[in-house]
């Protein structure tokens, strides 16, 4: 390749940066990061989805900003700079949530603020953004945010469906199925408790590892 020729925006390398966190390098199931918020916000699908979108935005923009500043940040204060950037982005996201989805913002409570200390975000800033150009850093941030969000959405979907018989608050299980109406079904309230989220993550990790062994 000619030295003056630019690498395509979606080259094989860049596609791998974007897509690998969705499977082979997922931050939750492979790297075992961000477990706490996965346990706390996935009892319902809506807060899980909003949390996922929030982390995608913060991770992507933090990676981009730190990459743009990487050659000007003194090594001895790089963690402080990263925290300032992430804190500013989290504050913006929190204010947007309060303005447009206040009910979900209340459900998420302190967990939006705790995005600041999310080890996925800080890990990507240290491991990738500080050593990469802006475009790959942005893709890495989006990819890891999507990988994190994918697990949250899966957990939120099954926990709400099996625990409350609804999706996004709308009933899915017909009333005639419930035992109280002469049917055979009853919601599993245990699905709404945090330990079931941990079990759910464990099941997803088991399925992921099983697929890797077969491959």
């Amino acid at each position: 390749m000619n030295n003056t020729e630019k690498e395509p925006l979606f080259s094989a390398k860049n596609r791998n940066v974007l897509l690998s966190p969705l499977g082979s390098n997922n931050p939750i199931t492979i790297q075992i990061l961000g477990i706490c918020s996965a346990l706390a916000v996935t009892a319902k699908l809506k807060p899980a989805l909003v949390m996922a979108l929030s982390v995608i935005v913060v991770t992507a923009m933090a990676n981009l900003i730190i990459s743009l500043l990487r050659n000007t940040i003194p090594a001895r204060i790089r963690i402080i700079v990263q925290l300032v950037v992430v804190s500013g982005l989290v504050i913006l996201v929190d204010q947007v949530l309060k303005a447009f989805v206040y009910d979900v913002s209340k459900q998420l409570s302190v967990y939006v603020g705790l995005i600041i200390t999310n080890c996925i975000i800080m890990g990507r800033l240290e491991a990738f953004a500080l050593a990469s150009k802006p475009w790959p850093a942005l893709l890495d941030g989006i990819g890891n945010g999507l990988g994190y969000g994918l697990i949250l959405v899966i957990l939120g979907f099954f926990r709400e469906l099996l625990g409350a018989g609804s999706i996004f608050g709308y009933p899915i299980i017909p009333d005639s199925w419930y035992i109280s109406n002469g049917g055979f079904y009853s919601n599993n309230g245990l699905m709404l408790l945090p330990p079931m989220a941990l079990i759910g993550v464990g099941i997803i990790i088991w399925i992921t590892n099983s697929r890797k062994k077969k491959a």
Side-chain angles (χ1 to χ4, degrees):
M1 179 184 294
N2 192 307
N3 291 333
T4 61
E5 185 178 344
K6 293 183 178 179
E7 182 181 20
L9 291 179
F10 291 100
S11 63
K13 181 180 177 181
N14 287 340
R15 288 199 303 272
N16 183 64
V17 167
L18 176 64
L19 299 177
S20 65
L22 296 175
S24 62
N25 195 32
N26 187 276
I28 292 182
T29 61
I30 303 300
Q31 302 177 43
I32 318 297
L33 301 174
I35 296 292
C36 294
S37 54
L39 305 184
V41 303
T42 56
K44 300 287 184 179
L45 181 55
K46 189 174 181 179
L49 181 59
V50 171
M51 184 67 169
L53 292 173
S54 300
V55 171
I56 290 170
V57 170
V58 173
T59 306
M61 295 310 300
N63 260 24
L64 177 62
I65 293 170
I66 293 299
S67 177
L68 289 170
L69 298 176
R70 68 189 187 284
N71 294 324
T72 62
I73 301 175
R76 64 183 182 278
I77 62 167
R78 70 184 191 284
I79 300 297
I80 297 174
V81 174
Q82 291 170 19
L83 286 172
V84 169
V85 170
V86 175
S87 299
L89 291 169
V90 170
I91 290 171
L92 289 175
V93 168
D94 187 41
Q95 293 305 307
V96 170
L97 294 182
K98 287 179 178 177
F100 294 100
V101 282
Y102 184 70
D103 58 326
V104 179
S105 177
K106 289 184 67 176
Q107 291 180 54
L108 293 175
S109 183
V110 299
Y111 293 102
V112 174
L114 289 176
I115 293 175
I116 296 171
T117 59
N118 192 310
C119 44
I120 296 173
I121 298 174
M122 297 305 295
R124 297 324 298 168
L125 295 180
E126 277 286 293
F128 198 91
L130 280 173
S132 303
K133 293 181 179 179
W135 177 246
L138 177 63
L139 293 180
D140 179 78
I142 294 173
N144 278 274
L146 286 172
Y148 167 87
L150 175 64
I151 304 303
L152 261 64
V153 169
I154 292 173
L155 289 173
F157 176 86
F158 284 105
R159 290 183 69 194
E160 182 176 357
L161 177 62
L162 300 177
S166 62
I167 295 295
F168 287 119
Y170 297 101
I172 298 297
I173 308 297
D175 288 339
S176 60
W177 287 17
Y178 285 99
I179 293 175
S180 58
N181 295 325
F184 59 90
Y185 184 78
S186 179
N187 291 330
N188 185 354
L190 290 175
M191 291 298 295
L192 302 179
L193 299 178
M196 292 308 298
L198 184 61
I199 293 173
V201 171
I203 291 172
I204 295 173
I205 292 174
W206 171 68
I207 293 172
T208 301
N209 289 336
S210 297
R211 291 180 60 189
K212 286 176 66 177
K213 289 180 180 178
K214 289 182 180 179

